[in-house]
């Protein structure tokens, strides 16, 4: 009787933990999206910056991305729900990758208004980056110059890496974390 009375309580506890984790994932993802929108809104609106500033900015964004990726990987490995954290990590690293390329495209468009078929606002640059990631390519925005095409080609190549490698890394981390959590329980049984 004692064993049966503990099972529903444990099931309720697991459901509550899962619900808390899902709420935390949604909260963190919304915060990241708001932060990305805020960062994109701070992009310069006119051509008042030099190439060295753009290069430094890209290096800083790349460093932030690498640090963010490593932190997400560790979070997946330590999580009580690694599959949920892995899904969150894939989504949020994808959002950050899009934000980096959106800022690159907006910077290129500011430096040369003819670099794309239209001048890219922060929103349009995010839209363009997403159409490249999704490989939809509606054709409404297209790169016209070598720097714009070069950045677009770089994103296309990195998208393949992102989809192929990063998804596998996060999925493997979740799988390892789950197997590590089950191993101690199996030895107790």
């Amino acid at each position: 009787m004692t064993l049966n009375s503990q099972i529903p309580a444990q099931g309720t506890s697991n459901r509550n933990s899962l619900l808390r984790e899902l709420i935390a994932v949604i909260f963190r993802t919304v915060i990241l999206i708001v932060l990305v929108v805020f960062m994109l809104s701070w992009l310069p609106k006119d051509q008042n910056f030099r190439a060295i500033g753009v290069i430094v900015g890209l290096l800083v964004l790349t460093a932030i991305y690498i640090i963010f990726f490593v932190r997400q990987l560790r979070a997946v490995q330590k999580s009580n729900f690694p599959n949920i954290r892995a899904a969150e990590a894939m989504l949020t690293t994808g959002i950050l990758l899009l934000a980096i390329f959106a800022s690159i495209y907006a910077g290129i468009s500011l430096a040369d208004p003819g670099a794309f078929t239209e001048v890219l606002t922060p929103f349009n640059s995010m839209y363009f980056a997403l159409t490249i990631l999704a490989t939809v390519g509606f054709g409404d925005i297209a790169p016209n110059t070598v720097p714009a095409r070069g950045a677009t080609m770089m994103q296309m190549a990195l998208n393949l890496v992102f989809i192929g490698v990063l998804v596998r890394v996060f999925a493997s981390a979740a799988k390892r974390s789950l197997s590590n959590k089950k191993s101690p329980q199996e030895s107790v049984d």
Side-chain angles (χ1 to χ4, degrees):
M1 185 168 181
T2 314
L3 181 63
N4 289 338
S5 63
Q6 290 176 356
I7 292 173
Q10 185 181 14
T12 303
S13 174
N14 285 343
R15 280 192 295 267
N16 289 341
S17 296
L18 178 62
L19 183 61
R20 279 192 303 273
E21 182 69 18
L22 288 172
I23 289 169
V25 164
I26 291 168
F27 179 75
R28 286 188 300 261
T29 303
V30 167
I31 292 297
L32 177 68
I33 291 169
V34 168
L35 184 63
V36 165
V37 168
F38 179 74
M39 288 172 40
L40 286 174
S41 72
W42 279 89
L43 287 173
K45 305 292 187 260
D46 54 11
Q47 299 177 17
N48 63 353
F49 59 94
R50 302 204 185 278
I52 192 73
V54 173
I55 293 169
V56 169
L58 293 178
L59 292 175
V60 168
L61 288 174
T62 301
I64 289 170
Y65 185 80
I66 291 168
I67 291 167
F68 186 78
F69 174 79
V70 169
R71 289 183 56 112
Q72 287 289 1
L73 187 58
R74 287 183 183 149
V76 169
Q77 294 168 339
K78 293 178 182 179
S79 176
N80 290 331
F81 300 99
N83 286 335
I84 293 172
R85 281 301 291 228
E88 175 192 7
M90 288 183 267
L91 176 65
T92 56
T93 55
I95 290 169
L96 200 54
L97 183 68
L98 290 174
I100 290 169
F101 276 100
S103 64
I104 292 169
Y105 298 138
I108 290 171
S109 183
L110 274 174
D112 179 4
F116 294 91
T117 51
E118 62 183 69
V119 176
L120 298 183
T121 64
F123 180 80
N124 287 353
S125 62
M126 185 62 115
Y127 165 79
F128 180 65
L130 183 58
T131 60
I132 292 170
L133 176 66
T135 67
V136 179
F138 290 120
D140 54 341
I141 301 173
N144 290 331
T145 63
V146 172
R149 288 178 179 160
T152 304
M153 289 169 32
M154 186 171 31
Q155 185 189 354
M156 289 174 185
L158 287 176
N159 287 345
L160 295 174
V161 171
F162 174 76
I163 291 168
V165 175
L166 298 185
V167 169
R168 181 168 173 92
V169 166
F170 285 126
S172 296
K175 189 175 182 179
R176 276 192 311 276
S177 181
L178 282 173
S179 68
N180 289 343
K181 288 179 188 344
K182 289 180 183 177
S183 295
Q185 290 175 348
E186 291 172 358
S187 62
V188 171
D189 293 338

